[in-house]
Amino acid sequence: MTIRTEGGVVLSGLDRLVAWGRSRSLWPLTYGIACCAIEMMTAGSPRYDLDRFGIIFRATPRQCDVMIVAGPVTKRMEPVIKLLYEQMAEPRWVLAMGSCAISGGAFAGSYNVLPGADTVVPVDIYVPGCPPRPEALMAGLLELRDGIRRGVPPKGGVARVRSGG
Amino acid sequence: MCARVADIASRIPGARVEATLSGEVLVVPPAEWRSACEHIALTGMELSDLTLIDRAETLDVVAHVFDSPAECLQLRTSLPPDTPRVASVTSVWPSADWLEREAAEMFGVTFLDHPDPRRLLLTDDFEGAPLRKAFLCEESSW
């Protein structure tokens, strides 16, 4: 039995199981740069509780599925964010949280801030807000989870071709 | 506090005390900057912040020192805007290290004898002094 997704991806049985498992265990990399990090931490706190979705924050990119860029990316940070993205194991997704990560936000046009994280890393989900409320971040993560379950590939692409099961 | 500041001012040639709404300001000539800070530190005051203000004719170095929340003092010296150079006070207050690094790259000031004069927040190939009034932000063209 197969599912046809809107991206034109066809998933076979084992792939569906793997995709479902991945979506229910989405581990983000804590990349809190500025104020959005506070809302990201709040989303993980008991009142909003991301843990019930299987979302556990990890500090090392090697163990992560998604990088939540929470805050403005400065020019000085550009090689760092690129390095951390490349250190993540595939499949890997990126969520741009807040106006600064989406477009430079309040600092767009400034002398030291990049106009969006997508100038450096391929972004899959954009969560607008300044800062987005924890519920908004949760909505973005749930959207990403849904996409992962349906088999939508990451924006950055996957290096190896996965064989059907 | 006033007596203390007046006492310090009397030891530094060329120093004067200004009374402003936000408290007292000890203004010293640039050549006396480090010795003034040493005198202040000997009385037990700690550094809270060190930055610069770009006034058109001068570039003012402003340091805020405190003994307790109630006992604050502002130290100031004026530098010529074309060749702004002043002694580093990192040997007096270690916290001045990063404060001076940021001020140096943002205003194009040289802090003499700074132990680690690297860029702090800007990229190493950044040109210009962003917080000077003459610096204009161009729209990014990525």
Side-chain angles (χ1 to χ4, degrees), chain A residues 15 18 22 89-93 153-154 156-164:
Chain A
D15 277 349
V18 170
R22 274 206 179 103
E90 289 173 356
R92 54 195 174 196
W93 290 267
V158 183
R160 60 172 185 83
V161 175
R162 201 173 49 226
S163 57

Side-chain angles (χ1 to χ4, degrees), chain B residues 12 14 24 34 36 39 54 58 63 66 69 74 82 86 88 91 96-97 110 121 123 131 141:
Chain B
I12 300 162
E24 288 174 320
R34 196 201 302 247
H39 277 110
D54 183 4
T58 61
F66 70 101
Q74 189 187 128
D82 302 318
V86 73
S88 162
S91 54
D97 189 341
T110 309
L121 300 168
T123 50
L131 290 184
S141 56

Side-chain angles (χ1 to χ4, degrees), chain A residues 19 35 64 92 103 128:
Chain A
C35 352
C64 290
R92 54 195 174 196
S103 69

